[in-house]
Amino acid sequence: MRPDRLNPLFVAADSLKGVGPGLARPLERLGLTRVRDFIYHLPDRFVERRAVADLDAASVGENIVVALTPVEYRASAGRGPFRVLASDAAGNICAITYFGRASYSGKKQLPLGEKRWIAGRLDQFGQMLQIVHPDHVAEESATALGQLVEPVYPLSEGLTQGRIAPLIQQALATVPELPEWIEPGLFDRMQWPAWRDALELAHRGEHGQARDRLAYDELLANSLALMLVRNANRARSGSPLLGDGHLRARVQLPFALTGAQKRSIAEIEGNMAQGSPMLRLLQGDVGSGKTVVALEAMLIAVEVGAQAALLAPTEILARQHHETLKRMAAGTGVEIALLTGRDKGKARESILMGLHDGSIGIVVGTHAIFQDAVQYKNLALVVIDEQHRFGVGQRLMLAQKGKRTPHCLAMTATPIPRTLTLAQYGEMDVSKLDEMPPGRQPIDTRVVAVERMGDVVDAIGRHLEGGQQAYWVCPMVRELESEDIAAAEARFAELKLRFGDAVVLVHGQLRPEAKDAAMERFVRGDARLLVATTVIEVGVDVPNATLMVIEQAERFGLAQLHQLRGRVGRGSAASTCLLLRGNVLSETAKRRLALMRETQDGFRIAEEDLELRGGGELLGTRQSGDTPFRVASLEQIQKLLPLAHDDARLLIERASQSQESGLTGERGEAARLLLYLFERDWGVQLLRGG
Ligand code: ADP
Ligand code: MG
């Protein structure tokens, strides 16, 4: 249970004055649903203003506060701006300019002949000085002057600085005083402010130490929680599994395993032979051959008469895994079942029976395989594919499933830089597939201007005529998912005009049946061009698809582009990836695309991605799968995570030396608060559960 003193922070956002139904949506889009979220919604930057006696003392481009007296209204014809001409103390004239509906407020705020204090950016328009949409207009100087430094918050559609700032102030006013959880030595050395002060300071102005402190809190909470999970796991008893290899010997592969695959399998085998349950991450780029490693691990379980389950993030993937595994394990005689949420009636009953009586050795499926109705005779290993879609919470839930805690192997193709691996998977051991199977052809990657769309479609035509298949990826980037879907549908309709029934469309809002039907047509080769939003990102394997077009490639992140591109280049034929780009590219977008052309090494892409993003470009909204952090920036993660990690370890070691069951003493109690504050309380719950 969350400690009472934190309750005020977890009250819903609409308890703040001014949050009605209209604001709820835009706030939600920013992840602001509880008071707590507001205090951690930190400014992107600050505007600093200088108070000037008159305009002679200011320069163009500067943010100022100045007293002006409106002398004339000047409306323009049609949709033009509305201008208020105003005079300063020295007699200089400046236009205060409003566009569109803002004109009304302009007139209201600036009555002729009455002096006002105006805060805004001084610009030049032709010969005239002007301030466009002033940030503040006040009757009394004190009001405007009080805003000499003002935070600029990340916004979403429907929000303004003027609306969000007072909400954040209200939220800050509810912040309780909490005991210090940071190690005293570190706290002194860094000269960090106390938690509540740090929040105040971080919202009030540029304050590196305050920001660092808040970031450190988040990192510490994360490290602590992951380490608690790891410790609890070590203390649990699993079943040591010592397979004799009789089933693995009967697996028939049309290829030899790579060195990296052999090494990973050996690591897994060693791990599963131990008393405490395995908690291991298998990290390997798209196409590095994780599936066969998973199969070997699962067969170890079956060899000793136990069962294994493979959890996939989507039905499509579950199906594909099921087929691949059945093919590879055909010679073993092991019963491999598929169970998804769509299985009903007799078919489902018989699978449930098989899992209960143990006649099914391996089951592949979506989360349906962990519903309460599903009883295993002896589940000894859980493999989770595409780990990043599952949180630690779900991992823990799985741990409850077997009589004894099953071994867990998580697989991810998301290349994450080393620093983030620690943050994301700090509680796990890691095996790395850092070697590609031989014979892969490099993917010819090109950046093409969107004007050449016609040529691209012609190229697809030739490609399909040659008997091969292709992907066309539409971005999912707009605020509203429905608009993205509409764009994908429009593209689909266009391509259909040209290629007819050879084209299918897959996106996230299709009914599962429709999605699978389309997917299956593509996998079978009946459909030759698959138009898709990013649902194909994860795991789909169609070796005959050797061309990929990615629309608006500049809008994708590097990791995502890399994952998408991994869908081609899976067979022995040469593959091509065309990155269609728009005309307006930021510097980093250009570098991203250039890097894609330059390399196919996922680990390198991940490192450079981190650098590119750390180096300036602000992340307006947190991208999913990016980092598990909201407060800590990439730079702060690199700088502070190692410290947080060490500190967390010390805290936990001290706790276990004191023979207590968990975090005790003054600092221990404070650390518990921290875990709740950052909602890493599954760590605390583990403590209690023992
Ligand atoms: P991942 O899941 O890591 O993206 P897969 O397990 O789907 O990769 O493997 C990608 C492809 O490579 C599959 O067609 C698989 O049969 C093949 N493959 C796996 N290991 C090897 C190997 N050692 N040599 C050649 N091909 C391999
Ligand atoms: Mg895979």
Side-chain angles (χ1 to χ4, degrees):
M1 277 276 281
R2 180 192 310 133
D4 288 344
R5 61 215 292 195
L6 293 181
N7 284 345
L9 294 176
F10 286 87
V11 173
D14 57 13
S15 70
L16 297 172
K17 222 170 79 219
V19 179
L23 272 193
R25 278 291 300 155
L27 290 174
E28 212 178 291
R29 248 179 255 144
L30 290 171
L32 305 177
T33 58
R34 295 145 319 162
V35 170
R36 177 207 171 280
D37 307 324
F38 287 79
I39 67 174
Y40 280 113
H41 193 63
L42 300 178
D44 273 341
R45 58 193 174 86
F46 289 84
V47 217
E48 265 182 65
R49 304 197 182 90
R50 201 159 63 85
V52 291
D54 55 49
L55 295 169
D56 292 330
S59 31
V60 169
E62 206 182 349
N63 287 301
I64 53 168
V65 180
V66 67
L68 296 173
T69 307
V71 292
E72 184 188 335
Y73 294 143
R74 214 175 263 183
S76 21
R79 288 170 158 267
F82 174 76
R83 292 200 166 85
V84 181
L85 301 189
S87 148
D88 71 1
N92 299 303
I93 295 290
C94 172
I96 301 158
T97 306
Y98 296 88
F99 290 90
R101 289 203 301 172
S103 309
Y104 298 111
S105 60
K107 213 164 181 170
K108 217 168 69 193
Q109 288 179 317
L110 295 166
L112 294 180
E114 288 182 31
K115 184 158 107 178
R116 290 289 183 270
W117 294 85
I118 293 176
R121 204 180 104 111
L122 187 67
D123 287 324
Q124 192 151 13
F125 177 72
Q127 292 302 313
M128 204 181 335
L129 290 172
Q130 77 167 350
I131 294 173
V132 180
H133 288 193
D135 300 330
H136 300 279
V137 175
E139 283 179 47
E140 313 243 348
S141 67
T143 324
L145 288 173
Q147 315 271 5
L148 283 183
V149 176
E150 200 171 39
V152 179
Y153 290 107
L155 296 177
S156 68
E157 206 179 301
L159 269 179
T160 58
Q161 297 297 338
R163 303 197 80 165
I164 200 166
L167 299 178
I168 289 172
Q169 286 308 318
Q170 279 183 65
L172 285 173
T174 68
V175 169
E177 193 114 29
L178 297 179
E180 188 54 69
W181 44 74
I182 295 178
E183 202 270 313
L186 180 69
F187 182 78
D188 290 343
R189 186 151 49 84
M190 297 303 228
Q191 304 192 334
W192 278 336
W195 176 68
R196 205 166 80 164
D197 299 339
L199 282 169
E200 283 286 339
L201 290 167
H203 284 276
R204 208 189 302 149
E206 311 264 355
H207 199 299
Q209 276 145 317
R211 292 285 283 236
D212 278 357
R213 192 247 137 91
L214 297 175
Y216 182 82
D217 290 346
E218 187 179 39
L219 297 170
L220 180 62
N222 193 65
S223 290
L224 206 48
L226 291 178
M227 242 169 260
L228 287 169
V229 170
R230 197 189 168 101
N231 266 22
N233 196 65
R234 284 222 182 102
R236 279 212 184 86
S237 52
S239 342
L241 303 181
L242 289 160
D244 61 3
H246 75 278
L247 293 175
R248 280 172 282 168
R250 280 189 247 150
V251 173
Q252 279 169 358
L253 300 173
F255 48 75
L257 295 175
T258 63
Q261 283 170 323
K262 284 187 198 148
R263 181 168 27 83
S264 297
I265 291 169
E267 284 163 358
I268 291 167
E269 195 177 2
N271 216 166
M272 287 172 68
Q274 279 166 15
S276 61
M278 171 169 74
L279 205 48
R280 182 170 288 273
L281 179 71
L282 178 63
Q283 219 182 1
D285 222 328
V286 189
S288 60
K290 293 185 289 298
T291 318
V292 65
V293 176
L295 175 66
E296 297 270 327
M298 293 196 287
L299 288 176
I300 294 177
V302 185
E303 278 169 9
V304 299
Q307 293 163 300
L310 191 157
L311 177 62
T314 64
E315 300 224 3
I316 294 174
L317 271 180
R319 233 160 262 284
Q320 203 161 57
H321 273 313
H322 180 237
E323 256 149 51
T324 313
L325 292 174
K326 268 183 27 181
R327 203 169 51 234
M328 288 197 289
T332 63
V334 174
E335 181 72 25
I336 303 181
L338 174 71
L339 182 65
T340 70
R342 283 200 288 134
D343 293 301
K344 300 265 144 58
K346 283 234 169 65
R348 180 181 151 88
E349 283 307 307
S350 105
I351 292 171
L352 293 192
M353 205 114 84
L355 290 172
H356 188 66
D357 67 23
S359 58
I360 293 176
I362 294 176
V363 64
V364 181
T366 54
H367 58 273
I369 58 179
F370 293 114
Q371 280 161 0
D372 285 341
V374 186
Q375 297 293 329
Y376 294 84
K377 179 163 184 235
N378 184 6
L379 180 63
L381 170 68
V382 175
V383 180
I384 308 176
D385 195 16
E386 294 313 337
Q387 160 76 27
H388 60 288
R389 302 233 172 165
F390 299 92
V392 176
Q394 269 156 310
R395 276 181 246 160
L396 292 179
M397 179 195 80
L398 299 183
Q400 319 300 326
K401 203 60 199 176
K403 280 192 205 82
R404 307 181 134 244
T405 305
H407 296 280
C408 178
L409 176 67
M411 308 197 288
T412 181
T414 312
I416 344 176
R418 281 180 300 273
T419 21
L420 290 188
T421 310
L422 190 60
Q424 210 112 302
Y425 305 110
E427 89 284 19
M428 305 182 110
D429 297 309
V430 178
S431 292
K432 238 177 180 178
L433 291 181
D434 49 9
E435 177 188 353
M436 278 292 178
R440 292 281 153 80
Q441 300 227 23
I443 300 168
D444 180 14
T445 302
R446 299 178 197 194
V447 180
V448 183
V450 66
E451 285 82 19
R452 294 184 48 210
M453 177 89 80
D455 298 341
V456 169
V457 175
D458 289 343
I460 292 182
R462 288 193 298 276
H463 188 81
L464 301 188
E465 269 161 35
Q468 294 182 315
Q469 291 165 280
Y471 295 103
W472 185 294
V473 182
C474 301
M476 288 294 265
V477 287
R478 291 175 192 80
E479 209 114 286
L480 294 171
E481 195 190 2
S482 57
E483 285 176 18
D484 282 314
I485 304 283
E489 275 170 346
R491 182 67 66 219
F492 170 65
E494 260 168 55
L495 291 166
K496 210 171 155 104
L497 279 180
R498 166 99 179 236
F499 301 113
D501 279 347
V503 197
V504 285
L505 172 69
V506 173
H507 61 67
Q509 281 181 5
L510 286 182
R511 278 177 302 114
E513 295 80 13
K515 202 190 298 180
D516 284 6
M519 218 42 232
E520 268 162 33
R521 280 196 61 210
F522 188 70
V523 172
R524 275 204 311 269
D526 297 348
R528 320 212 49 86
L529 176 60
L530 177 72
V531 179
T533 56
T534 44
V535 285
I536 58 161
E537 193 181 327
V538 191
V540 175
D541 186 17
V542 181
N544 190 44
T546 48
L547 172 64
M548 171 171 286
V549 178
I550 303 180
E551 238 187 282
Q552 295 185 44
E554 73 274 15
R555 306 189 72 164
F556 289 88
L558 263 179
Q560 217 178 4
L561 285 175
H562 176 68
Q563 288 247 311
L564 283 166
R565 180 172 59 180
R567 299 301 115 215
V568 295
R570 314 206 98 194
S572 48
S575 290
T576 308
C577 177
L578 301 178
L579 303 171
L580 278 181
R581 64 155 175 84
N583 292 315
V584 190
L585 295 192
S586 68
E587 267 320 296
T588 41
K590 270 184 210 152
R591 282 174 61 190
R592 280 202 297 267
L593 297 184
L595 188 65
M596 285 300 291
R597 234 173 13 203
E598 203 179 300
T599 183
Q600 251 169 267
D601 178 346
F603 289 106
R604 179 172 162 213
I605 288 179
E607 296 294 342
E608 302 225 359
D609 190 27
L610 183 66
E611 216 144 273
L612 271 182
R613 288 184 301 151
E617 193 167 278
L618 281 166
L619 295 167
T621 53
R622 212 170 67 90
Q623 291 167 9
S624 59
D626 243 342
T627 81
F629 304 117
R630 289 191 58 127
V631 179
S633 70
L634 290 168
E635 222 172 305
Q636 286 170 323
I637 294 173
Q638 276 173 304
K639 183 170 68 176
L640 300 172
L641 184 64
L643 290 177
H645 197 74
D646 288 348
D647 193 19
R649 192 178 17 228
L650 277 178
L651 240 174
I652 288 180
E653 273 169 13
R654 214 168 296 152
S656 40
Q657 272 166 14
S658 72
Q659 307 282 320
E660 299 282 349
S661 65
L663 299 169
T664 50
E666 230 169 282
R667 235 195 117 206
E669 287 298 326
R672 276 173 199 256
L673 286 171
L674 175 70
L675 288 170
Y676 279 100
L677 184 62
F678 282 99
E679 303 184 280
R680 301 304 205 270
D681 37 312
W682 27 264
V684 185
Q685 271 146 32
L686 274 177
L687 277 180
R688 190 145 314 154

